[in-house]
């Protein structure tokens, strides 16, 4: 019913930049909080950045000042601009969102399938 699709991952050298996108589709009435998570090799999934419907943001300490989260509510999309990338940023990046579908009175949690980001030293 609801799909989240990430794009924009790839291979980049240390110090480089990438911009990830997450597009939501389906029978969507409203998207509340949207998040970017990542899971590095042999690591647990961690929260990278959060943005509310109104645009308030929060970041993990490890990415503050380097990553910027944004969203376009009309396009049901979210973005992550990643600058000054380092090898430790290598991970699969996942889009996550709280979505209310038409006909529903509550929000459900949805995940994308992830996009690989690899930063070479």
């Amino acid at each position: 019913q609801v799909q989240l699709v990430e794009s924009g991952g790839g291979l980049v050298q240390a110090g480089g930049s990438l911009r990830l996108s997450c597009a939501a589709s389906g029978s969507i009435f409203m998207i509340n909080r949207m998040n970017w998570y990542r899971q590095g090799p042999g690591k647990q999934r961690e929260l990278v950045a959060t943005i509310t419907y109104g645009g308030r943001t929060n970041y993990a300490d490890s990415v503050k000042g380097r990553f910027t989260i944004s969203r376009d509510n009309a396009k049901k999309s979210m973005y992550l601009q990643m600058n000054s990338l380092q090898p430790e940023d290598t991970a699969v990046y996942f889009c996550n969102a709280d979505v209310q579908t038409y006909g529903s009175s509550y929000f459900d949690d949805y995940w994308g399938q992830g996009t690989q980001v690899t930063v070479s030293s």
Side-chain angles (χ1 to χ4, degrees):
Q1 221 176 2
V2 173
Q3 279 193 319
L4 301 179
V5 179
E6 303 95 336
S7 61
L11 174 63
V12 65
Q13 288 190 331
S17 298
L18 283 174
R19 185 175 188 249
L20 305 183
S21 298
C22 170
S25 62
S27 182
I28 297 172
F29 175 69
M30 183 179 177
I31 303 176
N32 193 8
R33 188 180 303 268
M34 301 186 80
N35 310 292
W36 285 103
Y37 282 80
R38 68 184 181 186
Q39 187 165 15
K43 298 181 181 180
Q44 289 190 329
R45 191 172 296 190
E46 63 172 345
L47 179 62
V48 175
T50 295
I51 187 165
T52 66
Y53 181 84
R56 285 193 299 177
T57 61
N58 197 27
Y59 298 91
D61 287 343
S62 59
V63 306
K64 278 181 183 175
R66 300 188 299 123
F67 290 11
T68 302
I69 189 172
S70 61
R71 65 188 284 173
D72 184 329
N73 291 329
K75 293 182 178 180
K76 298 183 178 64
S77 295
M78 174 178 65
Y79 310 96
L80 187 67
Q81 177 66 43
M82 305 186 295
N83 299 328
S84 302
L85 283 162
Q86 298 302 316
E88 51 265 33
D89 296 315
T90 295
V92 178
Y93 285 71
F94 297 91
C95 171
N96 168 252
D98 297 330
V99 179
Q100 183 180 10
T101 55
Y102 283 102
S104 175
S105 57
Y106 53 87
F107 288 85
D108 278 324
D109 191 47
Y110 290 88
W111 290 86
Q113 291 193 328
T115 185
Q116 176 71 47
V117 171
T118 302
V119 185
S120 63
S121 56

